[in-house]
Amino acid sequence: MVVDINKIRKSANIIGKSEKMNEMLFMIGQVANTDISVLITGASGTGKEMVAKAIHRNSKRKHEKLITVNCAAIPSGIIESELFGHKKGAFTGATESRKGYFEAADKGTIFLDEIGELPLEIQAKLLRVIEQKEFIRVGDSKSEKIDTRIIAATNRDLSSEVREKNFRQDLYFRLKTVNINV
């Protein structure tokens, strides 16, 4: 497969032309048209979201939605409902059923920024989405099938988070099928 890094650079508005930048752009080009999970790592402010957008814009899903979710900005008490949706009456205040981010991203891409901030119980549910391509809304008993590409990013060292039991090892390995370090 031929990768046009200049096309990828332009689609992502990336201006750097160093050897490391070209290697990263080449990697983006290689993974863009696959459906495998990608983990983007790097310090805050290095452009992890730009890389996620470049992957999506150069993928076969480019005409579908790219849903960006900042996992650190959602309170742990509502993150399950935000990600997977809820059924009417599932909890106080749930006056109607609501789609979650995964359902909104069906056929497209979901970018889970700051994935290292997810609570462990939600990590288990995310693992099910990756492995089974399905989820269960809060308060529901039936699972919903989805076709969503997952791109995740973190500024944390997830391998040490796994050792400290703050991040699930099985989820870590599923997410980092391909790791792009920015």
Side-chain angles (χ1 to χ4, degrees), residues 39 41 114-120 123 154-173 175:
L39 179 63
T41 55
E114 300 305 338
I115 191 80
E117 303 293 328
L118 276 182
L120 283 168
Q123 291 178 29
T154 186
N155 60 5
R156 290 185 173 197
D157 179 356
L158 289 186
S159 61
S160 65
E161 294 291 323
V162 166
R163 283 191 300 278
E164 295 170 17
K165 308 267 189 249
N166 295 324
F167 201 84
R168 292 179 60 108
Q169 183 177 28
D170 46 3
L171 177 59
Y172 174 59
F173 287 121
L175 289 172

Side-chain angles (χ1 to χ4, degrees), residues 49 71 74 89 95 114 140 147 152 171 174-175:
E49 187 171 352
C71 298
I74 304 171
T95 57
E114 300 305 338
D140 209 343
D147 175 20
L171 177 59
R174 292 279 189 201
L175 289 172

Side-chain angles (χ1 to χ4, degrees), residues 52-105:
K53 287 178 180 178
I55 292 169
H56 178 73
R57 288 179 184 150
N58 289 282
S59 76
K60 60 187 174 191
R61 298 175 185 262
K62 65 185 166 199
H63 300 295
E64 302 295 336
K65 289 182 182 177
L66 168 64
I67 303 291
T68 300
V69 181
N70 182 341
C71 298
I74 304 171
S76 60
I78 64 167
I79 195 160
E80 183 177 2
S81 174
E82 291 294 310
L83 290 175
F84 308 117
H86 62 260
K87 190 175 175 181
K88 179 180 178 177
F91 51 84
T92 305
T95 57
E96 59 187 12
S97 293
R98 182 183 166 283
K99 287 183 178 182
Y101 293 127
F102 273 95
E103 197 169 353

Side-chain angles (χ1 to χ4, degrees), residues 111-153:
F111 172 51
L112 300 171
D113 198 11
E114 300 305 338
I115 191 80
E117 303 293 328
L118 276 182
L120 283 168
E121 63 273 9
I122 302 301
Q123 291 178 29
K125 294 176 186 216
L126 178 57
L127 184 63
R128 178 181 176 88
V129 172
I130 294 171
E131 291 177 340
Q132 306 296 319
K133 301 287 187 199
E134 64 185 25
F135 65 94
I136 299 174
R137 288 187 189 124
V138 175
D140 209 343
S141 57
K142 66 178 177 91
S143 62
E144 302 285 334
K145 288 281 192 189
I146 55 161
D147 175 20
T148 304
R149 175 157 203 190
I150 298 172
I151 301 174

